[in-house]
C-alpha cells in the first residue's frame, strides 16, 4: 500500500503535460476504495473459514464433503458482500445530506409544478438522496438473504431434509429471515446516519484505528443479530406452512442455533466492513510534494491549495485536504510546509485564509437566513405537518447550516492557529499587511454571534453614554434581526440542533481566545489608543451583527469574560 501511495503522490505533482492533476487526485479515493475491497474480502474470508470450521462444523457431519458446493457458498457470500460494500461506498458522505420525507416524496409531483425554481432544485436533490437510501436498504435486504443462506445452508439441519419440497420450504424460510435482518440493518444504518464519515480527533495508523474499533463492532454485531433473530423469527411465524417446513423440537432448536450463528457472522462481516471503510477513508492524506523535489523547493503549498479550490465542494477529497491543512497548522510536523504559507508576496497566505473563511461565511449566511425568517417561531414546531413550504424551507436552512460543521470546525482552527502563529513565524508581516487578521476576527465573531442567537442567548452592547455613577445600564442594539426570533430559538434547548450549536460555539470561542491570547498586548494598546476597531474589525458590513456589537464582543474576549 505504501508503494502505491508513493506512486500516486508522484503522479499528483507532475505538470499538466505529464498527466497529473484532477485524475491523480481522484485516484486517491479510488485507491482507498480498492484497498477497502481487498482488506474486507480478506477479513470476511477468515471469518467465514473460522465459522465453517469451528462453529457450524459442530452441526455438520462432513463439512468438506462437497468442494463444488463449498465453492458455490463461498462465491455467493462474497458476491453479496461486494454488493453491500459497493452500496456502502456510494451512499457514504463526509457530511449529512438533506433528504425528503415519504410525505414529501408522495406530493413531489404536485409540488414540482407549483414551487419556484430554487426550491424545485432543492426538492429534487433531497428526493434523489432519499431514493439512494431506499436503494441501499433494498440492497442490504437482498445481500442479507444471500449471505445468510450461504453461511447456514451447508449445515445438515437445513440440507438433510426428507423431500425436495421440504428443502425448498426451509430455504425460503431461511432466505426470508435473512432478508428481514438485512432490511432492519439497512434501516438502522440510514436512520442513525452511520453513512456519514466520522473523522477521528486523534489520527492514528490504520492498523491501530482498526484494532480499537474491533470490540465495538463485535458488541454491535451481537446486539443487532439478537434483535434481528427475534424479529425475523416472529415475522417468519406468520408465513404459510409450506414455507416453514416441519421438524421435531430438537431439530428446531438446532435450526435456531445455526441461524443465529450464521446471522451473527453476516452482521459481524458488515460491521467490520463499515469500520474498515471509515478507517481507510478518514485517515490523513498528505498533499505535499516529496522532500528534495523541485516542487518542494519552489511552491510546496500549491497541491494542497489546488485540491481545496478545484475539487468538488463538500467532497471527500476536499475534506481530506482541509484535514491535512488543519493538522499542518496546529502541529509542529512538516514545519517547512507551514513556513511556505508566509512567503514574501503574501499570495499563499491570502489563499489559505480565503479558503478557510469561505465555509465559515457560508455557514453564517445560511444561519442568518434561517434566523431572519419571519415565521421562525412557527417553523420550530416540527410536529406541525401543515406548515407552508417557506416555513419548512426555513427549518431546513437551520438544520442544513450545520451539515458542514466538521469542515467549519477545521477552518476555524486553521484560522486561529495561523493567525496566532503569524506573530512569530510571519517574517514579512503578510498577515497584518493583507488585512487577514481583521477578516479572521470579524468572521469568527460574526459566526459566534449567529450561533449564540440560535441558542437563545441575547447579545447586548455596553453603551458608554448610558453608564453613570449609579451603576451600569445595558441597552440592546438592533442587529437587524427580530427579537422574537431570539426567544423562539431558545426552544431548541435539548434538541440535536442545540447540541451542534453548543459544540460549534465552543470551537469558535476557543479559536477567538487563541488569537486574543497571542495578540493580547497589541489589542490592549490598540484599545487604549482607540484603534481596536480599525485594526481588528473589518470596515465593511459584518456577516451578522453590527460593528459595535463585534467590538463589544471582542472586548469581552480581551477581558476573558466571554462565556
Amino acid at each position: 500500500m505504501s508503494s502505491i501511495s508513493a506512486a500516486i503522490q508522484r503522479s499528483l505533482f507532475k505538470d499538466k503535460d505529464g498527466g497529473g492533476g484532477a485524475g491523480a487526485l481522484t485516484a486517491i479515493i479510488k485507491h482507498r476504495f480498492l484497498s477497502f475491497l481487498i482488506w474486507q474480502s480478506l477479513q470476511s474470508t477468515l471469518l467465514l473459514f473460522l465459522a465453517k470450521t469451528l462453529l457450524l462444523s459442530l452441526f455438520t457431519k462432513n463439512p468438506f464433503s462437497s468442494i463444488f458446493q463449498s465453492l458455490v457458498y463461498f462465491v455467493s457470500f462474497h458476491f453479496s458482500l461486494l454488493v453491500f460494500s459497493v452500496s456502502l461506498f456510494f451512499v457514504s458522505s463526509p457530511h449529512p445530506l438533506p433528504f425528503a420525507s415519504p410525505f414529501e416524496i408522495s406530493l413531489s409531483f404536485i409540488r414540482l409544478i407549483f414551487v419556484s425554481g430554487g426550491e424545485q432544485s432543492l426538492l429534487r436533490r433531497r428526493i434523489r438522496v432519499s431514493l439512494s437510501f431506499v436503494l441501499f436498504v433494498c440492497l442490504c435486504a437482498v445481500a442479507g438473504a444471500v449471505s445468510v443462506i450461504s453461511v447456514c445452508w451447508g449445515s445438515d439441519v437445513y440440507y438433510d431434509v426428507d423431500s425436495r419440497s421440504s428443502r425448498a420450504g426451509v430455504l425460503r424460510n431461511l432466505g426470508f429471515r435473512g432478508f428481514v435482518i438485512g432490511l432492519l440493518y439497512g434501516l438502522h444504518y440510514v436512520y442513525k446516519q452511520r453513512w456519514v464519515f466520522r473523522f477521528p480527533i486523534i489520527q492514528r495508523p490504520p492498523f491501530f484505528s482498526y484494532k480499537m474499533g474491533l470490540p465495538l463492532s463485535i458488541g454491535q454485531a451481537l446486539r443487532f443479530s439478537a434483535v434481528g433473530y427475534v424479529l425475523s423469527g416472529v415475522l417468519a411465524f406468520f408465513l404459510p406452512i409450506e414455507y416453514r417446513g416441519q421438524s421435531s423440537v430438537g431439530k428446531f432448536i438446532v435450526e435456531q442455533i445455526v441461524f443465529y450463528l450464521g446471522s451473527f457472522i453476516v452482521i459481524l462481516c458488515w460491521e467490520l466492513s463499515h469500520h474498515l471503510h471509515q478507517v481507510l477513508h478518514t485517515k490523513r492524506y498528505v498533499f505535499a510534494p516529496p522532500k528534495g523535489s523541485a516542487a518542494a523547493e519552489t511552491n510546496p503549498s500549491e497541491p494542497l491549495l489546488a485540491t481545496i479550490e478545484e475539487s468538488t465542494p463538500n467532497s471527500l477529497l476536499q475534506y481530506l485536504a482541509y484535514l491535512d491543512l488543519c493538522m499542518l497548522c496546529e502541529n509542529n510536523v512538516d514545519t517547512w510546509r507551514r513556513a511556505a504559507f508566509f512567503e514574501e508576496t503574501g499570495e499563499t497566505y491570502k489563499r489559505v485564509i480565503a479558503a478557510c473563511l469561505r465555509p465559515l461565511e457560508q455557514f453564517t449566511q445560511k444561519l442568518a437566513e434561517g434566523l431572519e425568517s419571519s415565521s421562525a417561531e412557527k417553523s420550530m414546531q416540527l410536529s406541525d405537518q401543515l406548515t407552508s413550504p417557506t416555513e419548512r424551507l426555513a427549518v431546513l436552512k437551520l438544520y442544513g447550516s450545520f451539515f458542514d460543521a466538521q469542515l467549519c470546525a477545521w477552518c476555524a482552527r486553521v484560522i486561529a492557529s495561523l493567525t496566532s502563529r503569524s506573530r512569530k513565524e510571519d517574517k514579512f508581516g503578510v498577515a497584518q499587511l493583507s488585512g487577514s487578521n481583521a477578516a479572521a476576527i470579524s468572521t469568527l465573531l460574526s459566526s459566534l454571534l449567529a450561533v449564540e442567537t440560535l441558542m437563545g442567548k441575547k447579545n447586548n452592547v455596553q453603551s458608554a453614554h448610558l453608564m453613570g455613577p449609579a451603576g451600569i445600564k445595558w441597552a440592546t442594539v438592533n442587529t437587524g434581526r427580530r427579537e422574537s426570533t431570539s426567544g423562539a430559538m431558545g426552544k431548541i434547548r435539548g434538541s440535536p440542533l442545540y447540541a451542534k450549536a453548543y459544540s460549534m460555539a465552543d470551537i469558535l470561542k476557543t479559536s477567538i481566545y487563541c488569537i486574543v491570547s497571542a495578540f493580547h498586548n497589541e489589542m490592549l494598546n490598540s484599545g487604549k489608543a482607540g484603534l481596536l476597531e480599525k485594526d481588528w474589525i473589518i470596515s465593511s458590513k459584518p456577516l451578522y451583527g453590527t460593528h459595535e456589537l463585534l467590538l463589544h464582543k471582542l472586548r469581552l474576549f480581551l477581558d476573558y469574560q466571554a462565556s
Side-chain angles (χ1 to χ4, degrees), residues 91-93 95-97 133 189-190 193-197 278:
V91 80
S92 298
S93 173
H95 62 97
L97 299 173
F133 289 155
Y189 197 90
V190 171
Q193 292 190 349
R194 301 185 65 193
W195 44 272
V196 180
F197 286 116
Q278 291 274 338

Side-chain angles (χ1 to χ4, degrees), residues 104-114 123 127:
E104 290 175 322
I105 295 177
S106 62
L107 298 179
S108 60
F109 295 102
I110 300 177
R111 295 186 61 184
L112 287 175
I113 300 176
F114 297 102
L123 181 59
I127 292 177

Side-chain angles (χ1 to χ4, degrees), residues 1 182 254 258 303 324 468 482 486 504:
M1 292 177 61
V254 174
V258 172
D324 181 44
R482 290 177 172 83
S486 177
M504 181 58 64

Side-chain angles (χ1 to χ4, degrees), residues 13-14 288-290 292-303 336:
F13 308 110
K14 293 180 181 178
S293 62
E297 297 294 335
T298 56
N299 194 359
S301 305
E302 183 61 28
W336 60 278

